[in-house]
Each structure stands twice: as structure tokens, then as C-alpha cells.
């Protein structure tokens, strides 16, 4: 491709609203342009990268035995009513009416559509297993789209759905997709980790993994063991239960409770100041309404309640912090003086709080706290559980010696075991060998394709610009004659360009009449793996090869150039 013809509008500066590096670089390198918040156009170079990404995904999906389909974006609301999800999602679900005033949604995902298709076409065990996938635009009206393609409102996703006769079959389908995801993200040059995640409302019975691209801009936090393979989204990450430290009944003597006057001392850090104690000696008491039922949760003062774990423990669809009025009614005290002693509602205690003795806790009396509180003696937990966020340095829940470290990640893929979550409510059944009707066992598997593109740029760039992994670069070779006015340089460059193209390489020829500095800055910015500079030495048949990812520069004759490029891409 001749760069003088290519719509590749590079920018010296990134627009100020672009905060993430990948967002800045994708705008500056002329890959995308914003149409509206969270909605982007892919320019030619950006489209080339997207297409290469899709190619990798298709190869691995087909290699894993999946069949590609293509489903509509417009989905009848009735399908979402059958699955019970139409009312469940708020403004994030894009809704519209057709000319006959019939209700539709623009698909944020396709469980309902694919289950509707399969229930109509699959009815015998002989037709199972089957895994169908598509690459389709998704619509999710995010409240705060940001970071360019990382959190968009219209984006490309590969979504796959597996259909099996039983759970054993699902486990095989799941493993096959899990392995295919490993290959896909490796070929994309991503540093990634599969982590255990919370199946939440979407997932079925069997668990889920998220594939996280490690990047500080990532919105997810991963807890990973420094000794074994354990890694989990912080939503779900456990910690090693401090068995020995949990008060069991009462062996040794302990000091009497002492009520202390703590006027207006409500928060943990205020208590730390006022009583000169460390936060890990304080019992933090939070009151929640779980589907409307009040419950008190106790964690150590230096820990945070993990509401996803709590909601899962209580099997609550709706979990919210009790408001001031409820708190005052339940504790008989103003907010900030709640404590576990004397409460008439169930008390859930986190393991790490259960080991304290002579702790500080609210006295359920305005302006008063207790000293020398001992869980297990002064109050008994209705339930002793892991209801807090894991923290750096916690013991690994999976092995005896590891400790947890924290990383930020971008969720680029997720695999779910759905079970019969959709097949039951939508009657997607099959007749087994004995002729009895059974619900199909499903799994679903997503890759955020546009998000992968951003994650790759987040992980592969330097001060000068993007450094594309070989399989994703918009072009493989960038032939850059230094002066468009120098006929000899242009001849040598043109010859190299044609030679490389006929050898099957994707080549961009910078035939613009621009100053060398502009050409080199643009070349570094768009990040094509191999640059061949044709300068003054072209007269002697010598050119310069610069490898964008390794930074290496070498002189070579024009005859050697093709061989060097071939070796580099084949190695
Ligand atoms: C919605 C809206 C947003 C959503 C969903 C539904 C996320 C929704 C979860 C999934 C699960 C899997 C198949 C591919 C892999 C992920 N955001 N999810 O279901 F109505 Cl507005 O999409 N789907």
C-alpha cells in the first residue's frame, strides 16, 4: 500500500480526553476515531488489525470444532421475557420499537437468541454436542464509557455457545474452549492469566474463568499466589483461613468488657486516632439488607466486606447497605456505633475477625464503644465465613506456603458453565437414547475483540508508539525512502516494495513528500515490525533494517533484505 494514498491520519498529540495509553496511541496512530461516547470508527489500519484478530480467533475456534454462525443484533423482547432477563437489566440494555410498535433489544449478548435457535433445530442426543460461535457487534449502554475501546457501548465480540447432553460433555466443551483461549491470547502476544471468577447472576451452576490481560489500566483486580497456580478475580478470591487463631469457646481468662465514651468517633480511622489503636484491633460492624432481611457483618477494621461473596453466601438477589434510619432502629444507636453485642439480628463474622481478643467494637449506644471485646465470648457468630476482600500478603487458600499478590487486569475473555440456566426456562430439550426428554446442558464463551486490541496496545508500546506483535501488525514491512525527491532512493524503495509484495508480505511504502523526521516519527508511532530505510547509501545498494520490537538496527544490501525479512517472520 502506498502511504500517500492511505487514510492514516496520525496525530502529534493525543486529545486530552484520552486517559489510557492505548486510547491515546490508537487515536494518534490513526487506527480509530470516535463517533460518539464509547462508539468508534475503525480506520483502514485499525480495520486491518481487527481482521487479523478475527482470523486468529476463527482459526482457533474452527480448530476446536466450533461452527460459525451469524446472529441478528435486533432481538425480540419476548425472548428476553422468556428468559426472565428483560426486566432484570436497566438502561444498559438498548431497547427500541419497530414500525409496528413491537419491542426489541439491540443484543448485548446472545444466550436467548442462540437458545431459541437450538430449541427449534436440535431435539435428539444424536445432534449433540455442538458448539456455535459468531463474531458480532454488541450493544451495552454503559453509564461511563471510557478508555477508548476498553469500555465501549458498541463493540466487537466473539461469543460461542456449547450444547451438550450432560455435564460431562459440558466439562469437555469447557476445557476445549479454555485451551483454545490460551492459544488465541498467546498468538495475540498478550501476557494473560486465566483466573477463577464469580459466576454471579449470569453464570449457571458450574463456575467460570476470566482471562485477564495484565495491565495497570485494567479495572479488575486479580489475587494470585506467589507459589502455586491459584489466581482469582478479587470478587471471588479466598484467603487461607487462620485456623489456629479463631477463638474456640473459652480456654484462657480474658479482661472484662469496658464501655468507653467516644463522642462523635464513628469511623475506623477516627477510632484509630482517638484510642491510639491499630485498625486490625477493631471490629467493623456493617448492617445490610439481603432481599430486605437485615443482617450484621463483622470484619476486622483493616478489611473490607466483599459484597459479592456476601450475596452468594446469603443467596440474595438484592444486597444493600442498611440506610441510616434502619441502622438506628436496629442498633438503637446513631450510625458509627454499631457493634455485635446485643444485636437482635443474625451476625456473620469473617474468619479474620473471629480471632481477635480484647478488640474495640461499637456499643450499640450513641457515642460509646466497647473495649476488650472477644468474639466467641461476648457474642456468638450466627455464621463464621470468608466475607471479605483478600488482601496483599494473605495466605493462599489453595496451598500451604504461598502468599497472595495483587495485579490489575483487563478482562479480555470469559468462559461460563451455564448448565440449564437458559435451556430450562426456554424449553431447549433433547430426547436421549431411551427417548426421555432432558434439558440441554450449555456453556458460553466470550472474547472482547475490540478490547483485546486495546489490551495488546497497553502491553506493547514504548515512548515512540505502538510495537505490534507480528501476527497483528497492520502491515509487516514499512519501506521508508528518506527523500521523495531523490529519484534513486525512490527507485530502490519501489523495487524493494514490489519484491516484498510479490513474496507475499504486507508492505506499506512511505512515498510521501515529507521531511525524514516526520516519516520516522510516524513509522515508530504505527509500530510496523520491520522498517527498511532507503537513504543515501541506496546508491551503493545498501539499506538499513530497523526491528521495531527489538530496537535492533542493521545495514544490509538490497539483495539480502528479502531474506532477512523472510527469516524474521518465519522464525
Ligand atoms: C445484558 C446487558 C449487559 C450484559 C449482559 C446482559 C454482561 C450479560 C454477561 C454475558 C455472559 C456471556 C456470552 C459471551 C460471554 C459472556 N453484560 N452479560 O449477560 F442485557 Cl445490558 O454476556 N455472554
Amino acid at each position: 500500500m502506498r502511504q500517500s494514498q492511505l487514510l492514516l491520519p496520525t496525530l502529534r498529540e493525543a486529545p486530552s480526553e484520552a486517559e489510557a495509553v492505548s486510547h491515546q496511541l490508537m487515536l494518534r496512530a490513526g487506527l480509530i476515531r470516535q463517533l460518539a461516547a464509547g462508539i468508534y470508527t475503525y480506520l483502514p489500519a485499525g480495520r486491518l488489525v481487527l481482521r487479523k484478530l478475527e482470523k486468529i480467533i476463527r482459526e482457533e475456534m474452527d480448530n476446536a470444532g466450533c461452527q460459525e454462525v451469524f446472529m441478528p443484533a435486533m432481538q425480540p423482547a419476548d425472548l428476553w421475557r422468556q428468559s426472565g432477563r428483560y426486566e432484570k437489566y436497566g438502561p444498559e440494555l438498548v431497547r427500541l420499537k419497530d414500525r409496528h410498535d413491537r419491542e426489541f433489544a439491540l443484543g448485548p449478548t446472545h444466550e436467548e437468541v442462540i437458545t431459541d435457535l437450538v430449541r427449534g433445530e436440535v431435539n435428539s442426543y444424536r445432534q449433540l454436542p455442538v458448539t456455535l460461535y459468531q463474531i458480532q457487534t454488541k450493544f451495552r449502554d454503559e453509564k461511563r464509557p471510557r478508555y477508548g475501546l476498553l469500555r465501549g457501548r458498541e463493540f466487537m465480540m466473539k461469543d460461542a455457545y456449547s450444547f451438550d447432553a450432560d455435564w460431562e460433555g459440558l466439562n469437555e466443551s469447557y476445557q476445549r474452549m479454555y485451551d483454545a483461549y490460551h492459544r488465541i491470547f498467546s498468538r495475540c502476544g498478550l501476557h494473560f492469566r486465566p483466573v477463577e471468577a464469580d459466576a454471579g447472576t449470569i453464570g449457571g451452576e458450574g463456575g467460570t474463568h476470566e482471562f485477564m490481560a495484565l495491565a495497570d489500566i485494567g479495572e479488575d483486580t486479580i489475587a494470585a499466589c506467589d507459589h502455586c497456580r491459584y489466581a482469582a478475580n478479587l470478587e471471588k478470591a479466598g484467603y487461607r483461613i487462620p485456623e489456629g487463631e479463631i477463638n474456640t469457646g473459652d480456654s484462657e481468662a480474658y479482661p472484662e468488657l469496658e464501655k468507653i465514651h467516644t463522642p462523635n468517633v464513628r469511623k475506623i480511622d477516627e477510632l484509630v486516632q482517638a484510642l491510639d489503636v491499630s485498625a486490625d484491633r477493631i471490629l467493623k460492624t456493617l448492617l445490610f439488607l439481603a432481599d430486605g432481611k437485615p443482617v450484621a457483618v463483622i470484619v476486622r477494621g483493616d478489611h473490607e466486606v466483599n459484597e459479592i461473596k456476601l450475596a452468594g453466601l446469603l443467596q440474595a438477589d438484592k444486597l444493600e447497605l442498611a440506610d441510616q434510619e434502619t441502622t438506628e432502629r436496629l442498633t438503637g444507636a446513631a450510625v458509627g456505633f454499631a457493634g455485635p453485642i446485643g444485636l437482635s439480628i443474625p451476625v456473620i463474622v469473617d474468619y479474620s475477625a473471629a480471632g481477635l481478643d480484647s478488640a474495640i467494637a461499637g456499643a450499640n449506644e450513641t457515642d460509646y464503644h466497647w473495649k476488650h471485646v472477644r468474639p466467641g465470648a461476648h457474642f456468638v457468630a450466627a455464621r463464621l465465613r470468608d466475607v471479605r476482600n483478600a488482601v496483599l500478603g494473605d495466605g493462599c487458600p489453595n496451598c500451604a506456603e504461598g502468599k497472595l499478590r495483587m495485579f490489575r487486569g483487563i478482562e479480555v475473555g470469559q468462559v461460563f458453565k451455564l448448565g440449564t440456566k437458559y435451556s430450562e426456562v426456554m424449553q431447549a430439550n433433547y430426547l436421549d437414547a431411551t427417548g426421555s426428554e432432558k434439558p440441554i446442558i450449555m456453556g458460553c464463551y466470550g472474547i472482547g475483540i475490540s478490547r483485546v486490541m486495546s489490551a495488546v496496545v497497553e502491553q506493547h508500546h514504548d515512548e515512540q508508539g505502538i510495537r505490534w506483535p507480528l501476527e497483528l501488525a497492520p502491515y509487516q514491512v514499512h519501506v521508508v525512502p528518506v527523500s521523495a525527491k531523490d529519484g534513486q532512493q525512490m527507485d530502490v524503495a519501489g523495487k524493494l516494495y514490489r519484491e516484498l509484495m510479490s513474496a507475499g508480505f504486507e508492505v506499506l511504502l512511505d512515498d510521501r513528500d515529507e521531511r525524514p523526521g516526520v516519516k520516522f516519527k510516524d513509522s515508530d508511532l504505527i509500530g510496523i515490525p520491520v522498517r527498511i530505510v532507503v537513504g543515501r547509501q541506496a546508491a551503493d545498494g545498501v539499506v538499513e533494517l530497523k526491528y521495531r520490537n527489538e530496537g535492533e538496527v542493521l545495514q544490509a544490501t538490497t539483495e539480502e533484505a528479502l531474506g532477512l525479512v523472510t527469516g524474521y517472520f518465519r522464525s
Side-chain angles (χ1 to χ4, degrees):
M1 179 67 189
R2 295 177 175 283
Q3 206 161 331
S4 59
Q5 317 297 320
L6 178 64
L7 179 61
L8 184 69
T10 56
L11 303 171
R12 279 289 143 261
E13 298 297 325
S16 57
E17 79 270 8
E19 298 160 73
V21 168
S22 55
H23 189 193
Q24 294 164 359
L25 288 175
M26 290 167 83
L27 290 170
R28 286 190 53 214
L31 301 174
I32 58 173
R33 283 294 181 271
Q34 178 176 307
L35 176 64
I39 298 171
Y40 288 84
T41 297
Y42 292 85
L43 297 182
R47 176 71 191 126
L48 285 172
V49 175
L50 200 62
R51 236 180 28 205
K52 291 196 168 184
L53 249 177
E54 290 174 9
K55 181 173 177 290
I56 291 173
I57 289 171
R58 283 198 169 88
E59 282 170 1
E60 295 301 340
M61 285 292 108
D62 297 347
N63 170 44
C66 308
Q67 300 173 54
E68 184 168 6
V69 297
F70 188 73
M71 291 178 259
M74 277 187 70
Q75 304 184 6
D78 288 353
L79 281 186
W80 283 72
R81 288 198 180 91
Q82 288 174 36
S83 68
R85 297 211 293 175
Y86 198 61
E87 302 314 326
K88 188 168 154 313
Y89 284 89
E92 193 189 354
L93 181 62
V94 180
R95 303 161 203 256
L96 70 137
K97 286 190 175 175
D98 70 7
R99 60 189 303 169
H100 308 291
D101 225 21
R102 280 187 293 246
E103 291 174 293
F104 283 80
L106 287 185
T109 182
H110 281 72
E111 279 82 1
E112 283 79 1
V113 175
I114 197 76
T115 305
D116 173 58
L117 173 79
V118 166
R119 73 179 168 188
E121 307 304 332
V122 171
N123 43 43
S124 158
Y125 71 100
R126 288 191 187 85
Q127 296 172 280
L128 297 174
V130 62
T131 300
L132 306 170
Y133 79 95
Q134 65 169 350
I135 293 179
Q136 162 68 289
T137 303
K138 293 283 187 282
F139 298 86
R140 294 179 187 178
D141 198 352
E142 296 282 350
K143 191 169 187 179
R144 269 184 305 281
R146 58 181 187 167
Y147 300 156
L149 301 184
L150 276 181
R151 181 169 288 280
R153 293 196 290 168
E154 180 177 336
F155 56 91
M156 297 295 285
M157 181 192 272
K158 182 287 298 173
D159 44 323
Y161 304 85
S162 63
F163 301 88
D164 282 274
D166 50 33
W167 273 88
E168 190 188 326
L170 169 58
N171 291 336
E172 284 162 25
S173 299
Y174 187 90
Q175 189 57 50
R176 207 167 41 250
M177 294 298 272
Y178 184 98
D179 297 341
Y181 274 40
H182 249 275
R183 288 192 296 275
I184 289 167
F185 296 126
S186 303
R187 288 179 62 182
C188 291
L190 276 178
H191 308 288
F192 68 95
R193 287 201 71 163
V195 303
E196 294 177 31
D198 179 77
T201 49
I202 158 75
E205 296 79 23
T208 172
H209 284 84
E210 288 165 348
F211 284 76
M212 294 290 185
L214 303 180
D216 288 344
I217 197 78
E219 294 181 339
D220 287 280
T221 301
I222 302 150
C225 176
D226 60 7
H227 180 81
C228 75
R229 300 291 303 147
Y230 179 78
N233 191 310
L234 192 64
E235 291 169 353
K236 173 179 175 113
Y239 57 88
R240 189 179 307 132
I241 308 297
E243 297 296 351
E245 297 146 40
I246 291 172
N247 305 337
T248 47
D250 256 295
S251 48
E252 66 271 28
Y254 49 86
E256 281 302 307
L257 274 180
E258 184 189 331
K259 189 179 280 193
I260 47 177
H261 190 213
T262 50
N264 268 329
V265 181
R266 300 164 190 276
K267 295 194 174 60
I268 297 297
D269 52 3
E270 292 168 352
L271 272 168
V272 167
Q273 290 300 320
L275 305 180
D276 189 21
V277 294
S278 62
D280 63 3
R281 304 206 51 69
I282 297 169
L283 292 171
K284 177 167 31 175
T285 304
L286 294 168
L287 298 178
F288 288 91
L289 295 176
D291 290 340
K293 287 196 293 297
V295 67
V297 181
I298 314 280
V299 296
R300 223 171 61 186
D302 56 326
H303 289 153
E304 298 302 327
V305 172
N306 179 314
E307 296 192 14
I308 292 182
K309 289 182 186 175
L310 185 60
L313 170 68
L314 299 171
Q315 294 294 312
D317 280 331
K318 190 169 167 38
L319 180 79
E320 55 193 340
L321 264 174
D323 61 20
Q324 180 178 343
E325 187 271 330
T326 309
T327 302
E328 290 177 353
R329 177 165 50 78
L330 291 169
T331 63
V335 172
F337 299 98
I341 300 173
L343 273 188
S344 59
I345 55 177
V347 176
I348 297 174
V349 180
D350 181 74
Y351 290 117
S352 301
L356 292 186
D357 57 5
S358 137
I360 306 286
N364 288 326
E365 189 180 336
T366 303
D367 291 342
Y368 283 90
H369 280 79
W370 287 115
K371 268 175 81 170
H372 307 317
V373 179
R374 186 179 166 79
H378 299 121
F379 68 96
V380 179
R383 289 201 256 190
L384 200 48
R385 292 288 189 284
D386 165 0
V387 286
R388 70 169 170 88
N389 283 333
V391 293
L392 177 67
D394 271 339
C396 169
N398 183 53
C399 73
E401 52 265 48
K403 288 207 174 307
L404 295 182
R405 301 205 342 248
M406 298 291 164
F407 301 91
R408 307 289 295 181
I410 299 167
E411 177 187 335
V412 288
Q414 62 275 87
V415 288
F416 288 87
K417 291 182 182 175
L418 289 173
T420 59
K421 181 177 167 63
Y422 292 92
S423 47
E424 223 146 76
V425 285
M426 295 181 72
Q427 285 92 41
N429 302 314
Y430 73 97
L431 291 181
D432 71 7
T434 68
S436 70
E437 189 171 59
K438 296 208 178 120
I440 296 174
I441 309 297
M442 290 174 60
C444 66
Y445 317 86
I447 291 181
I449 298 178
S450 23
R451 193 178 263 186
V452 168
M453 200 162 140
S454 290
V456 168
V457 177
E458 283 292 334
Q459 293 187 353
H460 295 273
H461 69 269
D462 60 17
E463 287 305 302
Q464 285 67 45
I466 302 170
R467 300 174 12 162
W468 288 109
L470 301 193
E471 274 208 73
L472 292 181
Y475 297 91
Q476 293 170 307
V477 187
H478 199 182
V479 176
V480 182
V482 171
S483 162
K485 293 188 174 58
D486 180 317
Q488 186 154 42
Q489 287 181 19
M490 293 305 278
D491 289 352
V492 170
K495 190 167 170 299
L496 268 175
Y497 171 63
R498 285 186 299 280
E499 201 179 281
L500 287 159
M501 292 268 275
S502 57
F505 289 100
E506 298 144 4
V507 190
L508 180 62
L509 171 66
D510 190 349
D511 58 345
R512 297 173 300 163
D513 186 2
E514 290 282 358
R515 285 181 291 102
V518 168
K519 293 190 171 194
F520 295 146
K521 272 196 184 318
D522 279 350
S523 186
D524 283 340
L525 182 57
I526 60 182
I528 293 167
V530 179
R531 179 191 315 166
I532 300 180
V533 179
V534 181
R536 266 193 297 282
Q537 294 174 299
D540 313 323
V542 172
V543 292
E544 180 185 84
L545 273 73
K546 177 165 184 180
Y547 296 90
R548 181 72 178 92
N549 289 334
E550 296 76 16
E552 191 190 350
V553 181
L554 60 86
Q555 314 284 331
T557 65
T558 47
E559 289 68 35
E560 288 163 335
L562 177 57
L564 286 165
V565 169
T566 305
Y568 183 72
F569 282 99
R570 300 284 182 273
S571 61

